[in-house]
């Protein structure tokens, strides 16, 4: 989330606001999933319409200071806490980045949204035990990086995108964008 903040804060002042400039945060479906496992109090903070960076920074510090488990500070991670701790932490980072993106909704002259590119065949997934050493064909549902940018490209260039602070993903057949809030992964209808 800190990296996303650095990039967005650097670029927002440079954007041409005369034509509804757009920014896209590349996130993950793990962001909304981790949000769903958060305590009610942490959800309230992240969904508050007046959310500021300092509020998120406090949540980040609480997570980083958790001694035994993130569950004790209201970020349980569901099955990822034990089975895939790296994905738990990755999901928390994406969740915080989505919350920061949403907090920038106050820039009414901009469209700032986040998206889930889906499972993209990169070094990141190849470092996980499930996919280690596998080819793209062996990684069920994995896309090439070129395929993975589809949602972000549509958010940047399609004329039918409305508003800011939303979370998007591609439909299974890749024909359209699915839209939701940061706390729920977009679903097919």
């Amino acid at each position: 989330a800190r990296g996303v903040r650095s990039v967005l804060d650097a670029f927002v002042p440079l954007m041409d606001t005369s034509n509804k400039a757009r920014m896209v945060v590349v996130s993950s479906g793990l962001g909304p999933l981790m949000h769903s496992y958060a305590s009610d109090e942490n959800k309230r903070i992240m969904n508050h319409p007046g959310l500021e960076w300092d509020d998120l920074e406090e949540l980040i510090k609480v997570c980083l200071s958790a001694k035994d488990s993130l569950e004790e500070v209201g970020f349980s991670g569901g099955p990822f806490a034990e089975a895939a701790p790296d994905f738990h932490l990755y999901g928390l980072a994406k969740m915080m980045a989505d919350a920061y993106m949403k907090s920038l909704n106050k820039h009414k002259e901009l469209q700032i949204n986040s998206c889930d590119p889906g499972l993209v065949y990169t070094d990141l997934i190849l470092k996980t035990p499930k996919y280690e050493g596998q080819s793209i064909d062996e990684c069920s549902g994995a896309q090439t990086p070129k395929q993975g940018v589809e949602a972000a490209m549509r958010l940047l260039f399609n004329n039918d995108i409305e508003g800011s602070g939303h979370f998007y993903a591609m439909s299974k057949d890749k024909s359209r964008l699915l839209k939701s809030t940061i706390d729920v992964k977009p679903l097919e209808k």
Side-chain angles (χ1 to χ4, degrees), residues 1-2 4-5 8-9 35 41-48 50-64 75 92-104 106 182:
R2 290 174 175 158
V4 168
R5 178 187 183 218
L8 291 176
D9 287 357
H35 196 289
E41 175 61 16
N42 288 340
K43 287 177 188 177
R44 186 192 63 72
I45 292 168
M46 288 183 290
N47 286 329
H48 192 278
L51 179 72
E52 297 288 337
W53 173 254
D54 290 342
D55 304 318
L56 275 178
E57 183 68 28
E58 276 306 307
L59 287 179
I60 292 169
K61 286 178 183 175
V62 165
C63 287
L64 292 174
F75 291 107
L92 286 175
K94 294 302 187 176
M95 175 191 67
M96 298 288 186
D98 292 338
Y100 183 64
M101 173 277 306
K102 183 181 171 191
S103 79
L104 295 177
K106 60 189 169 220
I182 65 167

Side-chain angles (χ1 to χ4, degrees), residues 3-9 11-12 15 20-28 94 97-98 100-102 104 110-118 148-158 161-170 177-178:
V4 168
R5 178 187 183 218
S6 295
V7 171
L8 291 176
D9 287 357
F11 278 90
V12 164
M15 300 300 289
K20 203 65 157 173
R22 299 175 185 191
M23 298 178 87
V24 176
V25 173
V26 177
S27 185
S28 168
K94 294 302 187 176
D98 292 338
Y100 183 64
M101 173 277 306
K102 183 181 171 191
L104 295 177
L110 299 173
Q111 285 185 325
I112 306 173
N113 293 291
S114 60
C115 69
D116 174 12
V149 299
E150 182 71 24
M153 297 301 282
R154 288 185 185 208
L155 285 170
L156 287 171
F157 299 110
N158 283 13
I161 306 302
E162 296 178 8
S164 283
H166 304 290
F167 186 86
Y168 288 87
M170 292 302 299
L177 281 171
L178 305 173

Side-chain angles (χ1 to χ4, degrees), residues 78-146:
F80 294 96
E82 299 279 330
D86 289 348
F87 276 105
H88 183 193
L89 296 174
Y90 176 79
L92 286 175
K94 294 302 187 176
M95 175 191 67
M96 298 288 186
D98 292 338
Y100 183 64
M101 173 277 306
K102 183 181 171 191
S103 79
L104 295 177
N105 202 16
K106 60 189 169 220
H107 295 283
K108 300 297 182 199
E109 70 282 5
L110 299 173
Q111 285 185 325
I112 306 173
N113 293 291
S114 60
C115 69
D116 174 12
L119 182 63
V120 180
Y121 187 76
T122 63
D123 290 346
L124 179 65
I125 68 163
L126 293 177
K127 291 180 182 177
T128 62
K130 181 176 180 179
Y131 300 109
E132 189 174 9
Q134 294 185 13
S135 70
I136 191 169
D137 296 327
E138 296 170 308
C139 296
S140 178
Q143 310 171 84
T144 66
K146 183 177 179 179

